[in-house]
């Protein structure tokens, strides 16, 4: 039995049909892509005006993500387990289709590469999907709200929306987690990334703590990036943080057009790129404190740090680093003061 979803059929159906010269009403159960479905279909034979609703489908489906890959190719990259969706699809005489579905992700485990996200027990992650076929293309919009458990990062409260089109856009209205409060927008497609986030704090320490994969997929960095990240506090180490963190940058065709980072880590830390001189500069008057607050090392004290580099044709940088007047801690011999290039 053909469904209002391209190339999909209702199978193993148990249906009741009522029909007269005004329309039909069909109710019952069955399976789509081996997923159990409850269906109510109403067809209006008297609808002739373009904006009149001709067909209406009330649908409830208990999805198994593995089986649903035939319907939504690639979904297994993001979701495993089961989730429940209920909603309505309406088709007008003109051919315009609109749909609205509520989704309960509570029984699911969601994978957002490279981290794994699990629902918090007894607290739902729910969403609403809206879609239409205006402008001869399928437009899909997903609003979500709820709690998830990101491994090593503890429960996180989420609220926002995702729009799937030529460009995928994620609007984060709220991310609340221990020592984290973020909002902003992420847009991406193929080789393009636009990142615009701000907040009072971001606890990014858990990224370091995640278990390492044996054969991790290579990290693909887009050739075109626009970034704007502003944080009152960035946490990368236990009981340590970097304050007044501001990152801005633009990269086109793998070449940085502008890049700057300013932060306070005991002392000012500054990174800047000059496209005119094609030069990258990084300075810090307390490099050891920056390394400690970044969670990299606590074995260096002090240090005047200077990096100068020139961008190559393929986007990489070549240059030199100079560190003066720093102390090395926890050596077998007494700590020494080093002045080196």
């Amino acid at each position: 039995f053909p469904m209002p979803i391209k190339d999909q059929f209702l199978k193993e159906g148990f249906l009741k049909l009522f029909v007269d010269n005004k329309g039909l009403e069909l109710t019952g159960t069955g399976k789509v892509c081996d997923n159990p479905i409850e269906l109510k279909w109403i067809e209006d034979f008297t609808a002739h005006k373009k904006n009149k609703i001709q067909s209406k489908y009330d649908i409830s489906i208990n999805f198994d993500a593995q089986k649903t890959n035939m319907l939504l190719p690639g979904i297994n990259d993001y979701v495993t387990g089961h989730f429940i969706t209920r909603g309505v699809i309406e088709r007008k005489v003109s051919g315009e289709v609109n749909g609205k579905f509520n989704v309960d992700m509570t029984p699911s485990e969601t994978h957002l590469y490279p981290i794994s996200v699990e629902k918090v027990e007894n607290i739902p992650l729910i969403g609403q999907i809206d879609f239409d076929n205006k402008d001869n293309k399928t437009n899909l919009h997903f609003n979500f709200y709820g709690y998830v458990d990101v491994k090593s990062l503890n429960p996180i409260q989420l609220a926002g929306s995702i729009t799937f089109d030529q460009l995928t856009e994620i609007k984060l209205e709220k991310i609340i987690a221990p020592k984290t409060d973020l909002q902003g927008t992420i847009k991406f497609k193929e080789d393009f990334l636009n990142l615009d986030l701000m907040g009072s704090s971001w606890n990014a320490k858990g990224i370091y703590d995640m278990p390492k994969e044996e054969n991790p997929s290579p990290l693909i960095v887009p050739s075109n990036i626009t970034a704007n990240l502003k944080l009152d506090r960035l946490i990368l180490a236990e009981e340590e943080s970097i304050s007044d963190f501001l990152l801005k940058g633009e990269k086109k065709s793998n070449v940085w057009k502008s890049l700057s980072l300013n932060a306070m880590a005991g002392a000012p830390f500054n990174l800047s790129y000059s496209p005119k001189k094609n030069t990258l500069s990084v300075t810090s008057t307390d490099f050891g404190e920056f390394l400690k607050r970044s969670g990299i090392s606590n074995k260096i004290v002090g240090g005047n740090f200077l990096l100068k580099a020139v961008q190559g044709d393929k986007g990489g940088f070549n240059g030199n680093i100079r560190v003066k007047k720093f102390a090395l801690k926890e050596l077998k011999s007494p700590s020494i003061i080093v002045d080196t290039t």
Side-chain angles (χ1 to χ4, degrees):
F1 188 87
M3 290 292 293
I5 308 168
K6 185 179 179 182
D7 298 330
Q8 300 303 322
F9 291 85
L10 177 70
K11 298 179 181 179
E12 300 180 30
F14 182 79
L15 306 170
K16 294 181 179 180
L17 174 66
F18 172 82
V19 62
D20 60 20
N21 60 349
K22 293 182 179 180
L24 69 80
E25 180 176 307
L26 182 146
T27 59
T29 60
K31 290 185 178 181
V32 174
C33 296
D34 291 329
N35 295 290
I37 182 173
E38 295 179 15
L39 170 69
K40 182 178 181 180
W41 171 29
I42 298 175
E43 190 81 11
D44 186 354
F45 295 161
T46 66
H48 301 297
K49 295 181 179 179
K50 285 187 176 181
N51 62 347
K52 192 80 171 173
I53 296 174
Q54 186 174 33
S55 307
K56 182 177 179 180
Y57 304 86
D58 286 290
I59 299 173
S60 175
I61 306 178
N62 188 342
F63 277 114
D64 181 324
Q66 185 173 1
K67 297 176 181 177
T68 308
N69 201 55
M70 295 181 290
L71 181 62
L72 300 171
I75 192 173
N76 294 159
D77 294 337
Y78 301 95
V79 180
T80 59
H82 293 78
F83 56 97
I84 301 168
T85 179
R86 299 178 179 89
V88 177
I89 301 174
E90 295 179 341
R91 181 171 58 86
K92 295 182 179 180
V93 175
S94 63
E96 180 182 330
V97 176
N98 294 277
K100 186 183 294 290
F101 282 84
N102 293 317
V103 183
D104 182 356
M105 301 287 290
T106 304
S108 306
E109 178 180 339
T110 305
H111 296 284
L112 303 174
Y113 181 81
I115 60 179
S116 180
V117 180
E118 298 177 350
K119 62 96 178 178
V120 177
E121 187 174 359
N122 299 324
I123 304 178
L125 174 63
I126 58 177
Q128 178 179 298
I129 299 175
D130 300 318
F131 65 89
D132 60 58
N133 63 346
K134 294 179 181 178
D135 303 320
N136 295 318
K137 61 182 181 181
T138 300
N139 305 294
L140 182 61
H141 187 76
F142 178 42
N143 293 294
F144 56 86
Y145 176 81
Y147 289 80
V148 295
D149 187 5
V150 181
K151 291 180 180 177
S152 301
L153 298 184
N154 300 317
I156 289 179
Q157 180 183 350
L158 294 172
S161 62
I162 306 176
T163 300
F164 300 92
D165 194 355
Q166 301 295 326
L167 176 72
T168 298
E169 177 178 354
I170 303 176
K171 290 184 178 179
L172 299 171
E173 299 170 7
K174 184 190 302 181
I175 298 182
I176 296 180
K179 300 179 182 179
T180 296
D181 188 354
L182 277 177
Q183 61 184 16
T185 304
I186 302 170
K187 301 178 182 178
F188 58 92
K189 68 171 183 179
E190 296 179 356
D191 206 22
F192 169 84
L193 172 65
N194 181 298
L195 181 70
D196 190 359
L197 295 174
M198 63 182 297
S200 59
S201 63
W202 179 19
N203 183 8
K205 176 181 176 298
I207 297 175
Y208 291 161
D209 300 336
M210 288 180 190
K212 302 296 185 292
E213 298 180 27
E214 292 185 5
N215 298 301
S217 301
L219 180 63
I220 300 175
V221 179
S223 300
N224 302 280
I225 299 175
T226 302
N228 184 17
L229 180 60
K230 184 177 181 180
L231 301 166
D232 296 337
R233 192 165 64 129
L234 176 63
I235 302 169
L236 295 171
E238 196 72 43
E239 299 182 359
E240 300 286 352
S241 65
I242 297 171
S243 60
D244 300 326
F245 184 91
L246 178 61
L247 171 67
K248 292 185 176 182
E250 182 182 16
K251 184 172 76 166
K252 292 184 176 180
S253 301
N254 247 351
V255 177
W256 286 101
K257 300 298 181 182
S258 64
L259 182 64
S260 66
L261 188 158
N262 300 288
M264 285 293 296
F269 178 89
N270 299 291
L271 178 153
S272 62
Y273 170 68
S274 172
K276 290 184 179 180
K277 297 181 180 180
N278 197 31
T279 302
L280 177 71
S281 173
V282 181
T283 61
S284 173
T285 55
D286 194 341
F287 189 56
E289 187 69 13
F290 174 78
L291 294 178
K292 184 177 76 169
R293 296 193 182 205
S294 300
I296 298 172
S297 173
N298 61 356
K299 301 185 183 301
I300 297 177
V301 178
N304 291 320
F305 178 89
L306 174 64
L307 179 149
K308 291 283 186 180
V310 176
Q311 185 174 205
D313 295 336
K314 296 183 179 180
F317 288 90
N318 298 305
N320 59 72
I321 295 174
R322 177 180 298 170
V323 187
K324 290 186 176 182
K325 298 179 180 178
F326 63 91
L328 301 177
K329 292 170 51 179
E330 300 179 14
L331 299 177
K332 291 183 179 180
S333 58
S335 297
I336 56 174
I337 302 296
V338 181
D339 187 342
T340 183
T341 299

